[in-house]
Structure formats: C-alpha cells, structure tokens
Amino acid sequence: MSSTRSIRLAALGAAVAAGSLVLSAIPASAVTGGTPVADADTTYAYSAKIVVGDHDRGCSATLVDAEWLMSAASCFADDPAASLAVPAGAPARPTTAIVGRSDLAGTQGAERRIVEIVPRTDRDVVLLRMSRPVTNVTPVALATAAPAAGAEVGFAGYGRTKTEWAPMRLHTGAYNVDSTTATSADVTGKNGQAACAGDTGGPVVFGGKLVGLNSRSFQGGCLEIDAAQTSTAGVISRVDDLAAWLKSTVGRAKITDFNGDGVEDIAIGDPMATVGTHTTAGNVNVVYGGGKGTVRIDQDLDWVAGSAEAGDHFGNNLATVDYNEDGYTDLVVSASEENVGDVVDAGFFDILFGGKSGLGSGPAYRHFEQGAGVGALKTEVAETGDRMGAALAAGTTAAGEPWILAGVPGESAGTLAKAGSAVYVRGDTNVVISQDTSNVPGAAEADDDFGTAVTGDANFIAVGAPGDAIGGDKGAGNLAVFSHKLDANGHPTVVTGMDQDNEKINGAAEAGDKFGAALALVAYRPSGAATATDSILAVGTPGETLTGDGGTTQSAGAGGVYLVHFNADGTWDYLRALTQGTADDDVSGTIEAGDAAGSSLSAVNLAPREVGSATTLKVAVGVPGEDLGTAADAGAVHTFSLMGAAGANDLWVEAGDGDGIPGSPSAGAKIGKSIHFTGTRLYVGLPYGPVATGAVYALPTANVVPGGTSTAATTYQPGQGGIPAGGEYFGYSAR
C-alpha cells in the first residue's frame, strides 16, 4: 500500500473498529462476499464469537490455547477511535465466547465466560482467559514469520455480510498481503471480499498457522456501508512474533486478584483481633496491589454473615478461588470457633465474592453452616466443638470447575468425639466426607481429628487425620486421598489411604508422629504428557522422632515431611523424606528435638504449563519450634524442591539472614507457623511477634530458592502502608 493509503486506513481504522463493536448489537458473523463455513468444515474451528455485555458489542477471536483466546484490543477499548488502551484484568462488562461453532445455532464447540484480559501495548491485540478450558477444539499454532508481500492469506470472522446484519454462520475469505510493518500488515481482500463489522479479532492464517488478526478495514460492500465505498483494503495485526509473550502469559501461575485489575492482592487474617468491644472476634485485612487501598473486614459489616462476638476467631483460616467464575478472586474465610445458635464452637465458613471495587462489591456472600443451606450440610447437626472451617483449601479441577474443602476435625461420629469430617463444596451443593463414608480407608474413632488438615489441586484432594491410632500407636496419624471425579453417591472418588506403616513408605507409624497434621498438594506436568496430570503430595509429621548427628541422638518431635507422587490414574509411589540436615550431609539446618518441622506446608508450581522440574516445583516447610541461639521457638522456614534432592535444592530462611524477614531471631516468634507460597512470593506470617500486633513479610521467590538474588521484601503490618492500626495475631493466615 502507498503511504497515503496507509494514512487513510489509519484514520478510518479506528472508526471501523468502533463499528465492529458498536454496530454489532446482536450476534453477527461473516465476511462480505465470503464463504459460509459448513458444519463439517473444521478448518477454522478455532474461531470464536465474542459478545460483550448484552450484545452491546460483538467481534471475533481465535483459540490459541485451551484456556486462552487472542483477539483485538479494539473490541474492548472504550473508544477505539481515540485509543486502543485496555485495562488488564477482568472485563469491564460481562463477556462471553462461543468457540468452535461455525453455526451459532448449533451445539458444537463450547461457550465460556471471559474472565481476564491481557493487552499488548504495541498493537491491536489482547489475550483473553476463559473461565474454563476448551478441550474439544484444537488451538491454532502461531506462525513464526510474517507472510511476504504478494502472499495470499485466509481470514475468518463473525461479522456482517453483504446482505445480512446478523447471519448465524462463520464466513471466510482471502486477502492479498500488500506490505508489512513491525506490528501489522496492509492487505486487500480478494474477489470483493472484505472484513466487516464484527470480524475484528478474527484469525488471519497462512500455511495453517496464525499470522495475524483482523484489525481495520474500509468495509467495501459490507451491509450499511456507503455504496460508493468499494475498497476491500484493510490492516491486520501481526501475531507471528508473539509466541514468547503468549507462552509467558498462559504459563504463569494465577494470582489473587479481588478487584480484577491484574495486580496481586493479599488477605491477612487476625483471628484474635478485637472488634468493637468483642475480644478475639477476629478480622481480615485486605491489601489491594498497585497502591489501590486497604480494607478491614469483620462480621459487623452488613455484607458479611453473622455478627462479631468474643471468641469467634473470624479469619483464622483463608482460601482463595474464583468460585463464581467472573474474573474476580473470591475469599473463603472461616470462623471455626463461631457459635451456631446455642451450640458453642460449631464453626462456619463463607465465600466473600470479589468485584470491580474488591471484596464485598460482587454478589452477596454464600454461607455454610451445619443444619442450613443445601446439600449434605442441610441435614447435618451442629455440635459443640465441631470447629467447621478449622482447615480450608480451594481451587479448580482439571476441567476448571471451582471447589472448596473445609475440615471439621471436632465432628463426632455417634458417641466418638472428635472423629472428624470434611465438607467438599462444588457447584451448588456439598457433600460430607468422613472415615465412616463408604470406601474411605480406616474407621471413625474418637480423637482421629479427621479434617485437621486439608489440601487439593486440579487432580486430587487429601484430608489428614493426625490423631488416628495406627496399630495401637495413638496419634500416629493417617490421611485419605480422593479424586475430583464423583462416585455413584456424589462423593469424591476414594483413591487411597496412607499411614507410615504402609509398605511403600520408608518409615513406621509411632505414637505422636501426627502424620497428616499438615498437607500440601501440587499438580504438575510429567515428561511426555501435554498437561498437568500428575501430583505430588507433601505430608507433614511434626511429632516425628528422628535420629540426629552421628546416628545416636534421638530427637523427639524433630518433625519432617514425606513426599508422595500420584499418577493420573491414582496409583502412587513414595518419593523420599525431607528433614533438616546432619553432619553427614549438605542439607540446611540441624535435626533437633522439638523443632516440629512439617507443622505447616505450602507447595507451588512456578511454571504450571512446563514439564515439572527441580527448579519449578517447590515446597515451604514450617519449623516453628526451631531454637536459634538463646531464642527458644524462634522458628524458621525450610524450602525444598519437590523433585530435586535436598542439599543443592534447599534453602533455610530465618529472621535477619538477609532473605527478607527483618531483625534477629526472637523467642516465641514461631516463624513457619503461617506460610503461603504463590507463583511470585512466599508469604511468612509472624502472628506471635516480635511485633506486638503481628506482621506478614512477602519474600520474593528469588529470595527463598537456591541461586536466587535476594531483593527487598514487602512488609504488611497494622498501622503501616494504609493498614488500620490495631492487631493481636495479624498474620495468623495469609492468602
């Protein structure tokens, strides 16, 4: 194209982009004079129809990953004629995608909600994350070079045709490439074919690979375009050079984002905080990333269930998941010592929904307590000391369906006090799991404490019973593992039970080991697999007695961690134990009595899409009983690789060692009691001091893995950084 023509296109392009959005007030599909796609033709099956709001805008997109579409930024800009800038994060208006459906009246392909926008700043391109993966349509691969001038490329879209405003079928056409720039290409439609309003963001393909997206067009011949306008020229946005951006975007770990702005947020529990005149009522402090403010949440707010009362311990456990799949992270928060009616310490938990202005600006909360609501909980009876919500976990299945798992360790089974149970929430219902549930290994016994620890990932969930007696050894502990596949009774399918007397495990069940007192599961992609089909389970045994230096010293309560690999089919193998070091190895720390290593665990996959490795799969182990010098129970955190051997792959974190926790070791600080690993940070809570109110330190991942370069940590503390003053056990939980 001549430079004059390019300028004219630039001037018209923004208006065309606006038209492609605003004028498609109802679903539109096609290319002027193009070819309607037959149902049996899957050539452009990766095409998608985008609908913004109540059909306020419509455009096209391309499936480039099971969870992600690529489209035009002009589909989402407030005024494309003025600017293509689009905020990152959740869409401003509800947005849906119909993927792989050539006939919009059909049922093939899938329908999904768009929950996140990731814009480019250098061209008319955005990535769109869907609420769930699309597994029945194959994504298109990106080309590695732009087509040369003179090449013919194919394009598709869900825009108007020459005669129809809103045809119900995908259309295709062909361009000649006239010239290219670093980020775009000028094209001319062949045989009277042109991109029309609604085609913006649709695929442009050369040699079966995606080279660009429809961006701008003169729209010659399109419905309601001046008949004097006959030009079929247009501009496409190049994508052949975006493979690295695509890979890094789709491969990152998801973040906590309560207000949907694409910046990581954090919720911090202080379950002993005073609310009004109510001591130990508890609260949660939320810090929105990017300097967007803080909020303190307690049960005296009208959008939170219940009311603040002494001893509720609201905020003692937290979990996060986008439960209603709207692009805003939701907070699951428990008050496990809450009285339900006259029943003392029965406990409950809630989902507090995120929204454009953060927590509380979304839908009304969902409340879970025994004897109310729906599902199995409705028929349950609240009893004194049940402590529902004493442990929480949440996530999504491999298919993308959100779930929540809550421990109820004080639940009685008939006359058996503290046998324990767990509540599994998925969709609009819930089920209760216990050791009396069909096929669950073991049997309910008094003081089993089933539900003391819960964990899960996309493949499996696990429930710990650290009080379980094994072969007469009280408090030896065990656990049960389930898949998300529901059995005939609607319960998660039992995979296995496990204790230290299992022949696969290199150990032995002993009284007081507390096997299963802490759990962490993380999914990963094994070599040869396309997705994260396998999982590694870390099991804490904080009461474990270990042999110290020289093989003679018996260190009671030294504690440790067992690692177990689960295959996709549920079969499993013991990997190894993680402990502190001895004089005979190069592992950090020293095995000592009372360290209680494994009291808390948090695992993370730093590269969820890549084949799992020693550098991507990490676990943080809390060692709250660690004595440092004269400081008893100063505590520490020990990080390990879930795959690589300890020594070269472990790191020790304590106060004042340069990794980010300030000061020097302090007696009773019990560092490691509260830890949470994300894809970007390790959050370490110090609810017991030395800061009187408690504090949380966010340590960048590089600070807590071998070979990383330490940078400044972020401090969260009442009275600082906009967090309201006042606190008791601030940092007891953090998500």
Side-chain angles (χ1 to χ4, degrees):
M1 287 184 177
S2 69
S3 59
T4 302
R5 191 177 182 192
S6 295
I7 292 171
R8 290 178 61 207
L9 275 174
L12 287 173
V16 170
S20 70
L21 302 171
V22 177
L23 296 181
S24 293
I26 57 177
S29 75
V31 177
T32 298
T35 304
V37 175
D39 289 342
D41 185 355
T42 60
T43 305
Y44 288 90
Y46 41 74
S47 299
K49 169 67 180 177
I50 300 295
V51 179
V52 179
D54 187 16
H55 294 289
D56 302 324
R57 293 182 173 186
C59 56
S60 303
T62 307
L63 187 72
V64 291
D65 176 85
E67 288 186 81
W68 293 81
L69 298 165
M70 190 175 282
S71 188
S74 49
C75 296
F76 302 92
D78 289 338
D79 182 3
S83 172
L84 295 180
V86 179
R93 285 173 284 182
T95 303
T96 57
I98 303 172
V99 186
R101 188 171 298 171
S102 57
D103 181 356
L104 294 176
T107 58
Q108 72 269 37
E111 296 185 27
R112 295 289 187 265
R113 185 165 182 171
I114 301 301
V115 295
E116 182 182 5
I117 300 175
V118 180
R120 290 285 300 190
T121 57
D122 62 344
R123 67 194 77 183
D124 188 14
V125 173
V126 292
L127 280 169
L128 308 173
R129 182 167 64 87
M130 295 177 287
S131 54
R132 299 186 187 185
V134 173
T135 57
N136 58 352
V137 179
T138 302
V140 64
L142 268 60
T144 56
E152 180 179 311
V153 295
F155 69 106
Y158 289 88
R160 301 179 202 167
T161 64
K162 188 173 185 177
T163 59
E164 296 177 282
W165 179 283
M168 295 298 290
R169 192 171 287 277
L170 176 71
H171 280 60
T172 63
Y175 291 132
N176 277 327
V177 177
D178 300 318
S179 62
T180 62
T181 70
T183 59
S184 65
D186 292 341
V187 295
T188 300
K190 297 189 64 177
N191 303 319
Q193 299 166 344
C196 296
D199 292 330
T200 305
V204 180
V205 181
F206 180 73
K209 302 289 183 66
L210 188 71
V211 294
L213 303 174
N214 294 320
S215 178
R216 293 166 286 169
S217 169
F218 275 108
Q219 301 189 85
C222 297
L223 184 65
E224 294 198 354
I225 296 299
D226 190 332
Q229 175 56 269
T230 60
S231 175
T232 62
V235 175
I236 65 172
S237 295
R238 283 181 53 189
V239 302
D240 56 273
D241 60 336
L242 299 183
W245 176 63
L246 172 63
K247 182 178 180 180
S248 65
T249 301
V250 306
R252 67 189 183 187
K254 294 177 183 177
I255 63 171
T256 294
D257 187 6
F258 300 122
N259 57 0
D261 64 353
V263 182
E264 187 169 14
D265 306 323
I266 182 174
I268 301 170
D270 185 348
M272 301 297 285
T274 297
V275 178
T277 60
H278 307 291
T279 59
T280 67
N283 63 36
V284 177
N285 296 265
V286 177
V287 180
Y288 295 107
K292 294 188 177 178
T294 64
V295 64
R296 178 165 284 175
I297 301 170
D298 59 53
Q299 290 180 283
D300 277 349
L301 296 173
D302 58 9
W303 53 272
V304 180
S307 58
E309 300 166 316
D312 284 348
H313 298 169
F314 179 79
N316 60 350
N317 288 285
L318 305 172
T320 55
V321 63
D322 181 5
Y323 198 79
N324 60 349
E325 301 177 81
D326 64 352
Y328 302 97
T329 303
D330 307 317
L331 180 67
V332 188
V333 54
S334 70
S336 58
E337 278 69 52
E338 175 84 22
N339 297 347
V340 175
D342 295 329
V343 182
V344 177
D345 293 348
F348 62 57
F349 64 95
D350 297 302
I351 305 174
L352 306 181
F353 291 97
K356 189 173 183 179
S357 297
L359 291 170
S361 66
Y365 63 82
R366 283 187 61 179
H367 181 66
F368 299 88
E369 70 176 52
Q370 294 163 308
V374 298
L377 277 178
K378 186 174 183 179
T379 62
E380 289 285 296
V381 177
E383 299 170 313
T384 298
D386 280 348
R387 300 180 61 240
M388 187 166 77
L392 288 175
T396 56
T397 68
E401 187 174 4
W403 57 265
I404 298 169
L405 186 63
V408 195
E411 177 77 20
S412 296
T415 61
L416 302 173
K418 297 177 63 178
S421 67
V423 181
Y424 179 76
V425 182
R426 202 163 112 193
D428 294 325
T429 192
N430 56 79
V431 295
V432 174
I433 308 165
S434 74
Q435 289 178 301
D436 275 348
T437 303
S438 177
N439 297 321
V440 175
E445 300 169 318
D447 298 319
D448 280 348
D449 295 330
F450 184 85
T452 293
V454 297
T455 188
D457 61 15
N459 303 320
F460 304 100
I461 60 173
V463 182
D468 204 306
I470 305 298
D473 292 319
K474 187 175 181 180
N478 70 5
L479 60 89
V481 179
F482 309 79
S483 75
H484 291 289
K485 180 180 178 182
L486 302 182
D487 63 19
N489 297 316
H491 291 85
T493 301
V494 175
V495 172
T496 190
M498 194 180 303
D499 61 60
Q500 287 177 281
D501 275 351
N502 189 290
E503 60 183 10
K504 289 185 177 182
I505 294 178
N506 184 19
E510 299 168 317
D513 280 349
K514 299 180 182 178
F515 181 84
L519 301 170
L521 255 172
V522 63
Y524 77 97
R525 175 185 163 196
S527 179
T531 58
T533 57
D534 290 20
S535 299
I536 295 178
L537 173 65
V539 184
T541 59
E544 181 91 15
T545 296
L546 297 176
T547 301
D549 289 345
T552 58
T553 304
Q554 292 292 306
S555 300
V561 178
Y562 289 83
L563 301 182
V564 180
H565 166 226
F566 281 86
N567 299 299
D569 62 2
T571 57
W572 62 276
D573 296 290
Y574 170 71
L575 294 177
R576 63 188 178 280
L578 303 176
T579 67
Q580 294 186 62
T582 70
D584 301 322
D585 59 35
D586 59 351
V587 180
S588 302
T590 302
I591 293 173
E592 298 167 320
D595 283 346
S599 292
S600 58
L601 297 169
S602 185
V604 67
N605 187 342
L606 298 174
R609 295 297 189 88
E610 302 301 311
V611 172
S613 69
T615 58
T616 61
L617 292 167
K618 300 292 183 179
V619 62
V621 179
V623 194
E626 178 74 24
D627 297 340
L628 295 171
T630 59
D633 292 343
V637 179
H638 201 171
T639 67
F640 296 87
S641 168
L642 289 167
M643 282 193 160
N649 293 292
D650 76 298
L651 191 93
W652 184 260
V653 179
E654 63 183 50
D657 65 357
D659 295 318
I661 301 175
S664 56
S666 174
K670 298 181 181 179
I671 291 175
K673 193 71 173 179
S674 171
I675 52 177
H676 179 59
F677 234 146
T678 72
T680 59
R681 300 172 178 86
L682 174 65
Y683 291 97
V684 180
L686 277 72
Y688 308 112
V691 177
T693 58
V696 171
Y697 301 98
L699 283 54
T701 300
N703 292 32
V704 295
V705 297
T709 301
S710 291
T711 56
T714 301
T715 299
Y716 300 97
Q717 183 179 320
Q720 296 184 11
I723 300 173
E728 299 290 339
Y729 277 22
F730 181 92
Y732 188 87
S733 55
R735 291 293 183 273

